Amino acid sequence: MNNLNDINYGWTLLALLIPIIIHLFNRSSGKRIVFSFVDLLPAPTKKTVFQLKLNQYLLLAVRLLLLALSSILLIGLYSNNTIQAQSKIAIVTDDWRLMASDTEKNALIQEGFESIYSLEQIISESFPEALQQPEDSFLSLSQEAEQALNASFFVNSVNTQLAQAYAQLVSHGLIEQSDDTQISVFATNRLSQYDLSSAGSFSPEISSLAQQKYDPQTFSITRSELPNNSAIFDWRLLSLKQQTENELPDLGYLKVNLLFSPDELAQQISPYLYAAIDAINQNIPQVSLSIGTNTKSIDAINTEAIDNDNNSLNKRFDKSVELLIVETTNDSQITKTPDGKLIVHIEELSKPSFPALLFNDLFKQELALAENQLATLPLSKIKQASLGAFASSKSDVKQSSINSKTVKQAPIPSWLAALLVGLFIFERILSERRK
Amino acid sequence: MNELVDLAALAKVKGLPWIAQKVARGFLSGLHSSVSRGSGVEFSQYRAYEPGDALANIDWKLFARSDRYFVREAYQESDLDLWMLIDSSASMSMVSKQNKSIDMNGLRSKPLSKLDFAKVFLSSLSCIAQEQGDAIGLVSLESSSTNANDLFIPAKKGHAHWQNLLLSLYNINADGGFPNLENLLPSFESMRHHGVLVVVSDFCQHNQEIFELLAQFNTQKTDVICVQLMCEDELNFNYQGQIKFEEPETGQSFLLSANEAKTGFLQALNKHQAQLEAHISHLGMQHLLVNVDLPIHQAMHDLFNLQTAMRRSHQHRHQQRSTNKK
């Protein structure tokens, strides 16, 4: 429980004192009536007095319970607005810089080299004595150093993205800035291409992450490790709380099949997809994702009209599959067969934002979006604006429209609402009888 | 003080004469009839001459026609003392929650307590009596005042006396319990026993003190009318829920569930009323139950109707006695 929730519970305790104090200091139990013929009134029996006092205590207990439940309900609503410190935040990130082609990557590295060369030139001119040994030159890079440099780009990139995503979470008030939030990073990039075990200049958690390749790792990121330039960046992220069994969305068991053509691009991004799929399968047990690359089936879905007779579909695919996500040349859309099978058409499954889209389409999960002008810009331009000195990606990625919703609050338990209404009615009845 | 006189109620009962039942001594000065026969304005009857009758009362014209001696009798107007006895103990301060403001030409808007009702009632009654030329006296039954003069205002005639009486009535407050009878007895002795005594009280007694008071009056020569004031809440016990009932004179209080106490209270009240009416009737007095939550003119109507009925009953008995003598 974080500090803010502790304060909430403190106020609740104070509110409960109010009816207790009123009860203790209320000397006049019952309405006072000046009555002439008191002698004619039946004498009160012990049983009557006991019943009257019991009614008073019962009324007090009902009022306390009403206050307590109302407070718990409000606190529950409030705390649903914030992600518990114990929960994990899953950021499905696509490292666009690693998703970039080798040409782009090389260009970036080349730019880095050029910058370093320029800097070395300046230093040698001003401080010739500083670069007297061959090993002092930045340009003398061994293969390992080159790999380390590549990895440093990766590390820097991931760290920057994480920092910005973290800042986004904070700016939305989804997490407490003073807490250490466990963030699960599902890096859906080609980590397998990099052997980071030899790189010692970055955090051991990253290297562990790389070693385990597709397995999502959990590591801590504290506020002190954030770079200073953690500017607000309209990074679309998905917060996926680790939910208990009782809080699982009512999806049933959803079987999803991803279909895409096994072209060269698909082969390149297949690790990316596999990483995303693994992330989903591990964190959402109700969902089973599989990949299919049957070109004919894909074409059939894209070209054939979906009519009442869906036998053609069932012949090609497993009947138990409920959701088909198909790469298509059309605009992204979702269709539904008469028997309830969902078909999600996504243009270019290789889109960096695919995991987020996938989550959105599958579960209609809430996405955190800042009211930012950048939100309407293409993703590439957003990255260009926010990453500052880093070169922008040359890939023209278009963002799909995603409904901007705030973090959805957990629905009020119906039994709690019914109990509150019942208690309120009971309290009114007792009060009226007491008048 | 003008608030005490209910003009609206007076307007409704103005035409009714305030008539006494008993013989009033003194000369005719009002509109009250008596049963004494003799010279007067209104003819009553002829009866045979009896030795001892005044010769002036013989109707000589009838003698000329019948050759027999008959005495002419007529109603003789006589003055009347109206005594008002008002109970100003603490129990009279009770206000019914059902009590709605009584429209008194817009002069009063607050609910009336039993004492306030009594004040207005007696003020209106005294207004009628004063206009008829009757003497009006006031006795206040309160234990808070130790000065006997504050409790007793002798019966006198005149508008100025009536104004002073109204002022005294206005200043009466409900306080304390029933006064000691020993303080009142000297005052009762000075009362002329020929008149009408109106006792206005709730008749809420703890030790039969009111019965002891009533026993002091000679009902043979004085009309005693016991006007019992009760609230709608007392009559029907329209309370609900948990209530602390407080007795105003003793301060005793009970915390009761009104719903559970209603049946027992109403039974006890009926028994109490039956005993009260029986005792009053036994004393030869008249009893009138008034609901203070009803308009005052209705109470005055009831009082006049009661008086009229009793007068007719009295006249009927007197005629029967005269017939039996013959």
Side-chain angles (χ1 to χ4, degrees):
Chain A
M1 192 181 299
N2 55 36
N3 292 337
L4 191 57
N5 278 339
D6 290 335
I7 293 173
N8 287 337
Y9 280 118
W11 284 115
T12 305
L13 286 174
L14 282 178
L16 287 175
L17 285 175
I18 296 172
I20 294 174
I21 291 171
I22 293 173
H23 174 78
L24 288 174
F25 288 97
N26 185 15
R27 293 297 177 188
S28 59
S29 54
K31 188 178 177 183
R32 176 181 165 271
I33 297 283
V34 175
F35 198 74
S36 303
F37 291 92
V38 170
D39 293 342
L40 301 182
L41 289 171
T45 60
K46 285 186 182 176
K47 182 182 175 185
T48 306
V49 172
F50 174 74
Q51 283 176 344
L52 289 172
K53 287 188 176 177
L54 183 66
N55 191 27
Q56 288 178 14
Y57 290 130
L58 182 63
L59 191 58
L60 176 64
V62 167
R63 284 171 176 168
L64 287 175
L65 193 60
L66 202 59
L67 266 177
L69 283 179
S70 301
S71 302
I72 290 170
L73 180 68
L74 289 172
I75 289 171
L77 285 176
Y78 180 82
S79 62
N80 281 339
N81 289 333
T82 63
I83 298 174
Q84 297 289 338
Q86 302 301 326
S87 68
K88 294 181 181 179
I89 299 175
I91 301 177
V92 181
T93 177
D94 56 303
D95 184 8
W96 62 271
R97 300 181 69 253
L98 292 176
M99 287 300 297
S101 61
D102 290 338
T103 306
E104 289 177 323
K105 216 175 20 251
N106 291 334
L108 290 171
I109 294 173
Q110 189 62 35
E111 286 178 15
F113 276 122
E114 288 175 0
S115 300
I116 294 170
Y117 180 75
S118 302
L119 182 61
E120 190 172 295
Q121 285 290 100
I122 294 171
I123 294 173
S124 67
E125 289 174 5
S126 303
F127 307 100
E129 63 278 8
L131 298 172
Q132 291 179 358
Q133 299 298 328
E135 54 270 23
D136 292 334
S137 171
F138 293 125
L139 296 177
S140 303
L141 292 177
S142 62
Q143 186 179 3
E144 290 181 351
E146 182 175 348
Q147 281 190 342
L149 186 61
N150 287 336
S152 69
F153 273 109
F154 163 71
V155 170
N156 202 10
S157 161
V158 171
N159 269 346
T160 302
Q161 289 184 7
L162 288 174
Q164 287 165 342
Y166 185 84
Q168 185 74 347
L169 289 169
V170 170
S171 71
H172 281 293
L174 299 177
I175 57 173
E176 299 299 326
Q177 296 188 23
S178 60
D179 294 331
D180 295 341
T181 306
Q182 297 290 329
I183 303 177
S184 298
V185 178
F186 298 95
T188 61
N189 48 52
R190 290 169 287 177
L191 295 174
S192 60
Q193 299 180 16
Y194 295 94
D195 181 11
L196 302 178
S197 58
S198 60
S201 61
F202 39 84
S203 61
E205 291 85 358
I206 298 293
S207 60
S208 173
L209 177 67
Q211 284 174 359
Q212 297 193 25
K213 296 183 183 177
Y214 302 122
D215 294 333
Q217 293 295 309
T218 304
F219 63 95
S220 301
I221 177 169
T222 59
R223 189 177 175 78
S224 59
E225 293 175 359
L226 294 175
N228 293 328
N229 59 338
S230 56
I232 293 178
F233 165 59
D234 189 13
W235 179 256
R236 300 183 179 219
L237 62 88
L238 177 69
S239 65
L240 184 65
K241 290 193 337 183
Q242 178 133 357
Q243 297 166 327
T244 61
E245 188 175 349
N246 292 332
E247 299 174 3
L248 291 174
D250 185 16
L251 291 174
Y253 184 73
L254 189 64
K255 205 169 179 183
V256 182
N257 196 285
L258 298 174
L259 302 174
F260 59 92
S261 300
D263 55 6
E264 181 181 351
L265 180 61
Q267 290 176 358
Q268 288 180 356
I269 67 171
S270 57
Y272 174 87
L273 288 174
Y274 281 119
I277 292 166
D278 286 345
I280 294 170
N281 283 339
Q282 289 194 17
N283 285 275
I284 307 175
Q286 314 96 299
V287 176
S288 171
L289 274 175
S290 59
I291 292 181
T293 55
N294 188 320
T295 307
K296 288 185 180 176
S297 303
I298 294 169
D299 291 339
I301 292 173
N302 283 327
T303 57
E304 286 181 2
I306 305 298
D307 51 13
N308 291 331
D309 181 15
N310 57 3
N311 290 331
S312 59
L313 279 175
N314 291 331
K315 287 178 186 175
R316 292 188 173 81
F317 308 106
D318 185 358
K319 291 181 183 178
S320 62
V321 171
E322 298 174 21
L323 175 64
L324 296 172
I325 300 180
V326 184
E327 185 181 24
T328 177
T329 55
N330 299 325
D331 291 337
S332 299
Q333 58 177 330
I334 300 175
T335 57
K336 192 172 183 180
T337 61
D339 61 350
K341 200 185 297 293
L342 284 174
I343 301 179
V344 179
H345 304 262
I346 294 183
E347 185 182 359
E348 295 183 16
L349 280 177
S350 60
K351 280 185 178 177
S353 56
F354 165 70
L357 291 175
L358 178 64
F359 279 119
N360 181 61
D361 291 339
L362 280 178
F363 311 112
K364 303 301 177 189
Q365 284 288 340
E366 305 78 19
L367 298 179
L369 288 175
E371 291 181 358
N372 193 313
Q373 298 177 20
L374 298 179
T376 58
L377 296 179
L379 185 61
S380 59
K381 291 195 177 179
I382 293 174
K383 291 173 181 175
Q384 180 182 6
S386 57
L387 292 179
F390 292 105
S392 61
S393 170
K394 293 185 180 178
S395 61
D396 184 18
V397 178
K398 291 183 181 178
Q399 294 178 339
S400 61
S401 61
I402 300 175
N403 290 330
S404 61
K405 294 180 183 176
T406 56
V407 177
K408 185 172 70 175
Q409 300 174 355
I412 301 173
S414 57
W415 63 268
L416 183 59
L419 181 62
L420 274 174
V421 171
L423 274 176
F424 178 75
I425 294 171
F426 186 53
E427 191 271 340
R428 288 288 88 205
I429 292 173
L430 282 180
S431 295
E432 286 298 321
R433 283 178 57 187
R434 197 169 170 272
K435 285 181 182 176
Chain B
M1 204 168 65
N2 291 331
E3 299 172 356
L4 290 179
V5 180
D6 187 347
L7 299 177
L10 280 178
K12 289 182 170 67
V13 300
K14 222 37 182 317
L16 299 178
W18 178 239
I19 301 171
Q21 303 298 313
K22 305 296 182 187
V23 175
R25 292 181 181 260
F27 195 71
L28 299 173
S29 62
L31 297 176
H32 311 289
S33 58
S34 72
V35 295
S36 65
R37 302 289 184 257
S39 62
V41 178
E42 188 177 352
F43 170 77
S44 174
Q45 64 175 7
Y46 285 109
R47 68 170 174 85
Y49 172 79
E50 295 175 0
D53 291 334
L55 295 177
N57 293 339
I58 297 175
D59 192 329
W60 297 108
K61 289 184 180 177
L62 184 60
F63 169 74
R65 292 198 293 272
S66 63
D67 204 21
R68 294 174 68 179
Y69 295 102
F70 290 94
V71 172
R72 186 176 183 276
E73 289 186 338
Y75 288 110
Q76 184 180 38
E77 290 179 350
S78 60
D79 60 344
L80 173 71
D81 283 355
L82 172 62
W83 285 98
M84 300 183 296
L85 211 71
I86 180 168
D87 180 4
S88 54
S89 59
S91 64
M92 293 288 284
S93 64
M94 180 178 171
V95 180
S96 172
K97 70 171 186 175
Q98 304 291 338
N99 198 336
K100 297 178 183 175
S101 59
I102 297 176
D103 184 16
M104 293 180 61
N105 300 326
L107 294 178
R108 193 188 303 272
S109 61
K110 63 176 182 179
L112 291 180
S113 65
K114 287 192 280 189
L115 181 66
D116 292 336
F117 186 94
K119 288 182 187 179
V120 176
F121 180 78
L122 290 178
S123 300
S124 304
L125 190 62
S126 65
C127 178
I128 296 176
Q130 183 268 330
E131 288 183 356
Q132 292 182 170
D134 298 329
I136 311 168
L138 175 68
V139 180
S140 170
L141 303 175
E142 57 179 307
S143 64
S144 59
S145 175
T146 55
N147 189 348
N149 292 332
D150 295 335
L151 304 172
F152 181 81
I153 298 177
K156 288 182 182 177
K157 300 178 185 178
H159 187 79
H161 169 76
W162 178 62
Q163 293 283 340
N164 290 332
L165 189 142
L166 287 184
L167 180 62
S168 301
L169 197 62
Y170 183 80
N171 291 326
I172 291 174
N173 295 315
D175 189 19
F178 209 76
N180 195 342
L181 266 185
E182 294 179 356
N183 298 333
L184 294 172
L185 286 178
S187 305
F188 292 157
E189 289 174 0
S190 67
M191 289 171 61
R192 293 173 57 181
H193 296 285
H194 303 284
V196 177
L197 174 64
V198 178
V199 180
V200 180
S201 170
D202 57 359
F203 290 86
C204 177
Q205 55 185 354
H206 302 285
N207 298 313
Q208 311 289 316
E209 57 271 16
I210 295 184
F211 289 161
E212 291 177 4
L213 170 68
L214 294 177
Q216 303 301 318
F217 304 110
N218 182 3
T219 56
Q220 295 297 323
K221 296 182 178 179
T222 305
D223 285 342
V224 179
I225 304 171
C226 300
V227 180
Q228 184 182 15
L229 302 182
M230 292 191 76
C231 302
E232 180 69 26
D233 290 341
E234 290 173 323
L235 291 171
N236 297 321
F237 204 76
N238 298 323
Y239 298 108
Q240 286 184 355
Q242 182 178 326
I243 296 178
K244 179 179 276 188
F245 294 96
E246 188 175 303
E247 214 283 328
E249 293 181 15
T250 61
Q252 202 178 11
S253 64
F254 291 104
L255 181 63
L256 287 177
S257 171
N259 298 334
E260 295 176 2
K262 181 172 182 175
T263 306
F265 171 78
L266 291 176
Q267 288 177 353
L269 180 65
N270 290 335
K271 185 179 175 184
H272 171 266
Q273 288 298 106
Q275 290 176 351
L276 177 66
E277 289 175 10
H279 189 88
I280 290 174
S281 176
H282 175 72
L283 291 175
M285 301 174 181
Q286 300 169 37
H287 175 256
L288 178 65
L289 178 62
V290 172
N291 186 342
V292 299
D293 293 317
L294 296 178
I296 289 184
H297 68 84
Q298 188 165 339
M300 298 191 73
H301 264 288
D302 293 341
L303 178 63
F304 283 119
N305 290 338
L306 180 67
Q307 280 291 85
T308 304
M310 292 303 296
R311 174 171 167 265
R312 287 176 185 165
S313 170
H314 183 83
Q315 284 181 345
H316 180 71
R317 282 200 302 271
H318 183 77
Q319 284 175 358
Q320 277 188 336
R321 249 186 272 131
S322 299
T323 306
N324 291 338
K325 277 186 183 174
K326 288 180 183 175

